[in-house]
Amino acid sequence: MDRLVHEIEQAAREAGAIIRSAHGTELGIENKEGRANFVTKYDTMVQEFLTERLRNILPEARFLGEENGMDLFTSEDAEGYLFVIDPIDGTTNFIHNLHPHVTSIGLFKDGQPWAGVVYAPVTDQLFSAQRGEGAYENGVRIHSSRQGLSDNIMLTGTSGFSMSAFAVSQKLTYAFQERCQGFRSTGSAEYNLCMIASGRAGGYFEMKLGLWDFAAGSVILEEAGGRITDYHGRPLTYREGSGIVALCEGIAADENLPDTGAYWDMWDGK
Ligand code: IPD
Ligand code: CA
Ligand code: CA
């Protein structure tokens, strides 16, 4: 892997140390727009830390991040390097001192994900990948499951922001449930993608995510032989957030999966 990716890994570990240091301190919790959408002073602090740290590593790169109004992909972002950062993915878990909550850094090249680093500070798990170079957990090569649905557990998102998305997700969960070994919900989209990449879970779907929720994990999953698309099975545009369906190699090869696109069409989009 490129030295650049190793430097990003180091920055992610340092961000993780800031997150670990938060426990037992005042988190400075504030509500953002919509329901169950929080930001803490650590989300802001880690994003500021990473912006400065990564700017030193790659001065020509642009930045997109969940916090501080840095969340829109502009036409200039489609060329050259772009860091897409979620300083803490799983903020609600973080607030409740619950694992997982991760720091996540995607690096785009000419508008497409090129490298991804996800660090889970509580368990000291570092996931990383570079396009064409494979995916790794703590330096050990990982591959998604080659088993089918009946030999896997699935992950589901919580869609805390929308009761109508939650209702449709429940229906889709029901449709998968019959054929898999059951569902789990971790509370971190990026961690879910890493769980599929490392063969622990078979798949995951969620109806509305920000670009930073899957920017890093998408490269890690694809480099681990998995597949990530929208609900209609189309490639992601990586220009904005979207619904995602992420599958391990074995489940992606199954031609009789529930029709996720039909469920998507049931959602009123609110
Ligand atoms: C959230 C997490 C969660 C997902 C939410 C995301 P945040 O990100 O990834 O798993 O269900 O939709 O918003 O707000 O903790 O960075
Ligand atoms: Ca997130
Ligand atoms: Ca976040």
Side-chain angles (χ1 to χ4, degrees):
M1 240 182 328
D2 218 280
R3 214 183 96 214
L4 176 59
V5 183
H6 292 306
E7 289 182 41
I8 300 168
E9 290 177 339
Q10 182 52 31
R13 283 188 182 280
E14 290 167 21
I18 299 174
I19 296 169
R20 264 195 308 264
S21 76
H23 297 299
T25 72
E26 174 57 49
L27 301 183
I29 303 164
E30 283 176 33
N31 283 302
K32 293 203 290 187
E33 202 191 336
R35 57 185 306 278
N37 191 13
F38 305 108
V39 61
T40 72
K41 70 177 186 200
Y42 285 93
D43 296 77
T44 320
M45 197 190 295
V46 172
Q47 182 165 306
E48 282 168 2
F49 165 78
L50 282 174
T51 309
E52 176 151 352
R53 185 71 173 73
L54 295 169
R55 189 166 278 139
N56 284 331
I57 293 174
L58 193 58
E60 69 266 41
R62 300 175 63 81
F63 284 85
L64 189 148
E66 180 173 14
E67 312 301 345
N68 299 355
M70 287 167 61
D71 52 354
L72 275 189
F73 190 99
T74 66
S75 54
E76 287 120 308
D77 293 336
E79 277 174 32
Y81 284 112
L82 171 74
F83 281 113
V84 182
I85 298 170
D86 192 344
I88 303 179
D89 184 49
T91 294
T92 310
N93 281 356
F94 170 70
I95 289 169
H96 292 278
N97 197 9
L98 191 66
H99 169 74
H101 45 271
V102 304
T103 199
S104 144
I105 305 166
L107 180 59
F108 286 17
K109 216 182 212 178
D110 297 332
Q112 291 298 312
W114 177 75
V117 173
V118 173
Y119 181 58
V122 176
T123 46
D124 192 26
Q125 289 168 292
L126 184 85
F127 298 91
S128 51
Q130 179 188 327
R131 187 68 70 206
E133 299 292 327
Y136 295 82
E137 176 180 347
N138 290 345
V140 178
R141 188 88 183 241
I142 51 175
H143 199 282
S144 70
S145 169
R146 295 183 173 89
Q147 312 265 58
L149 206 45
S150 59
D151 291 308
N152 267 296
I153 52 171
M154 295 285 289
L155 301 170
T156 182
T158 47
S159 295
F161 66 94
S162 158
M163 288 311 289
S164 64
F166 181 74
V168 174
S169 289
Q170 292 294 303
K171 289 197 177 105
L172 183 55
T173 301
Y174 190 95
F176 271 97
Q177 172 77 10
E178 270 195 309
R179 293 190 45 207
C180 70
Q181 294 180 347
F183 272 82
R184 306 288 184 271
S185 184
T186 75
S188 162
E190 292 283 16
Y191 194 74
N192 287 347
L193 296 173
C194 295
M195 291 303 95
I196 305 169
S198 56
R200 294 171 169 102
Y204 160 57
F205 46 84
E206 183 148 8
M207 301 198 66
K208 192 177 171 192
L209 292 173
L211 189 52
W212 46 85
D213 294 320
F214 56 83
S218 64
V219 200
I220 297 170
L221 177 60
E222 287 184 337
E223 284 300 316
R227 186 176 81 195
I228 181 166
T229 63
D230 72 7
Y231 272 59
H232 292 282
R234 298 174 298 219
L236 301 174
T237 64
Y238 295 107
R239 293 293 179 273
E240 57 187 358
S242 78
I244 65 160
V245 177
L247 302 172
C248 67
E249 184 176 308
I251 300 178
D254 185 332
E255 287 174 6
N256 292 308
L257 295 177
D259 180 357
T260 50
Y263 286 85
W264 177 267
D265 293 340
M266 288 176 197
W267 184 36
D268 61 11
K270 291 183 191 146

